[in-house]
Amino acid sequence: MGGIATRTSNPASVISRDGTPIAYERSGEGPPLVLVHGTTSDHLTWELVLPELQRHFTVYAIDRRGRGESGGGDDSAYDIEREFEDVVAVIDSAGEPVSLLGHSYGAICALEGALRSGRVRGLVLYEGTFPVPEGTELYPPEILDSIRSSLEAGDREGALTTFYRDMVLMSPEELETLRSLPVWQARVALALTIPREVSAWEGYVSSFDLARPGNLRTPTLLLVGGDSPPLERAAAEALDAALPDSRIVVMPHQGHIAHRTAPDVFAREVVRFLTQV
C-alpha cells in the first residue's frame, strides 16, 4: 500500500449548526467517505490508509473541534452534541449519500451522525468502547486526576502517555509504535483535549440507550482488534445485538490503532465492506 501515490488533497470547511467552522481534507475519487478521528488525533491519523481509500472513494477527513483550522477549542463551551452536528454538516456538504468511518471517540460521533442524518449508506465503527457492559468500571477515577495534574504542570507528554497506557489500555508495543511516529508530537500538542472528551465519553456511555441504534437501518461494520482489551469485544457484541444490520470483524494481532500498525489489513476490511453495501 505504501507505494501508491497519494492524490492531492484539498482543504475545505463547512459551518456547523452552531456557527463553528469544521475543516476537512478532501482527496481521492469515487463515492464520498467521511472519516472521523478519535481523541488526541487529527485528520493525519489516516495517512497510512489514505492511499488505498482514495482509490475507491472521495475521502473527507475531518479535523474535529479544536484541531487544525476547525473552531470550537473552548473547553468551557464544549458539548459532545456539537460534535454530532459537525459530522452531519460534513455529510450534508458532500451533496449525496456517504459512507462514514469513525475510530474510538470518533466512532461515537459517527454513529450519532448517522442517526441524525439519514444520508449514510454504510457505517464503519472501530472500537468506540460503547455500550459499556453493566457493572464495568470505565476507569479508576484517579487516572483522570493524574492526567489533569500532568496538564496543569505543563507535562502534556506525560498526560498523553497516562491516557493511552492506563485508560485506553494500549499495549507497550502499541504505545512504542505511536511514540516512534511523526504524528506523536501533534498528539502531544492535542493532549489538552483529553479531559473534556473523557468526561463527555463517560457521560455518553453511562446513559447510552440500546434502543436508539435499533432504528438505524444503515449496514454497519464493527471493527475490533484481536489483541484489544476484552471490553472492546464485549462492547462491540452489545452494539451488534442492538443494530438491525451489522457484523463484527476481528483483526488478528491488532489493537486500538490498526490503521497505523496494519494499514493494509484495516483498509482491506473497510473497502471490502463499503464496496459491498
Side-chain angles (χ1 to χ4, degrees):
M1 181 188 301
I4 301 173
T6 302
R7 293 179 173 86
T8 302
S9 63
N10 298 301
S13 65
V14 296
I15 302 301
S16 194
R17 184 176 180 180
D18 70 344
T20 300
I22 301 300
Y24 60 88
E25 293 282 334
R26 185 175 183 271
S27 60
E29 299 174 1
L33 168 61
V34 177
L35 307 182
V36 192
H37 63 77
T39 298
T40 75
S41 301
D42 58 18
H43 75 276
L44 292 175
T45 194
W46 307 109
E47 61 185 347
L48 299 183
V49 296
L50 269 181
E52 180 64 13
L53 297 181
Q54 290 167 345
R55 292 181 59 237
H56 304 271
F57 306 101
T58 299
V59 178
Y60 295 69
I62 295 176
D63 271 332
R64 288 180 34 241
R65 291 185 168 232
R67 280 91 169 163
E69 299 302 313
S70 294
D74 181 5
D75 282 357
S76 65
Y78 183 77
D79 186 334
I80 193 172
E81 290 283 338
R82 304 292 81 77
E83 296 256 25
F84 307 157
E85 294 168 0
D86 298 345
V87 173
V88 173
V90 176
I91 291 171
D92 289 346
S93 74
E96 60 180 298
V98 309
S99 296
L100 184 57
L101 163 60
H103 170 233
S104 194
Y105 192 91
I108 292 175
C109 301
L111 174 65
E112 292 293 338
L115 286 167
R116 287 160 170 76
S117 170
R119 303 182 70 182
V120 179
R121 57 181 296 273
L123 179 63
V124 180
L125 305 176
Y126 176 29
E127 293 198 355
T129 323
F130 68 98
V132 173
E134 187 174 352
T136 301
E137 183 181 54
L138 297 179
Y139 54 85
E142 61 269 19
I143 294 177
L144 186 54
D145 292 338
S146 175
I147 290 171
R148 287 195 173 108
S149 296
S150 294
L151 292 174
E152 289 169 2
D155 183 10
R156 296 189 185 187
E157 187 161 14
L160 183 65
T161 300
T162 299
F163 171 68
Y164 283 139
R165 183 190 61 222
D166 300 334
M167 193 170 285
V168 180
L169 301 179
M170 278 189 180
S171 68
E173 293 77 16
E174 278 188 292
L175 188 51
E176 188 58 34
T177 295
L178 263 185
R179 285 182 179 277
S180 69
L181 297 172
V183 297
W184 176 254
Q185 288 307 317
R187 294 194 173 212
V188 169
L190 288 168
L192 290 172
T193 63
I194 294 173
R196 75 181 195 181
E197 293 186 9
V198 168
S199 296
W201 171 76
E202 181 178 13
Y204 178 85
V205 300
S206 65
S207 60
F208 187 78
D209 181 4
L210 276 171
R212 292 184 62 245
N215 298 320
L216 185 67
R217 302 299 170 184
T218 303
T220 302
L221 173 65
L222 305 174
L223 288 175
V224 181
D227 290 346
S228 291
L231 173 61
E232 295 292 357
R233 180 64 181 265
E237 289 174 347
L239 190 56
D240 181 52
L243 288 163
D245 185 1
S246 62
R247 71 185 75 165
I248 296 173
V249 168
V250 177
M251 295 174 287
H253 313 300
Q254 300 304 314
H256 195 60
I257 53 169
H259 53 300
R260 307 289 320 189
T261 56
D264 292 302
V265 172
F266 182 87
R268 182 175 65 244
E269 295 295 349
V270 171
V271 170
R272 177 186 296 161
F273 178 75
L274 292 179
T275 53
Q276 288 175 350
V277 301

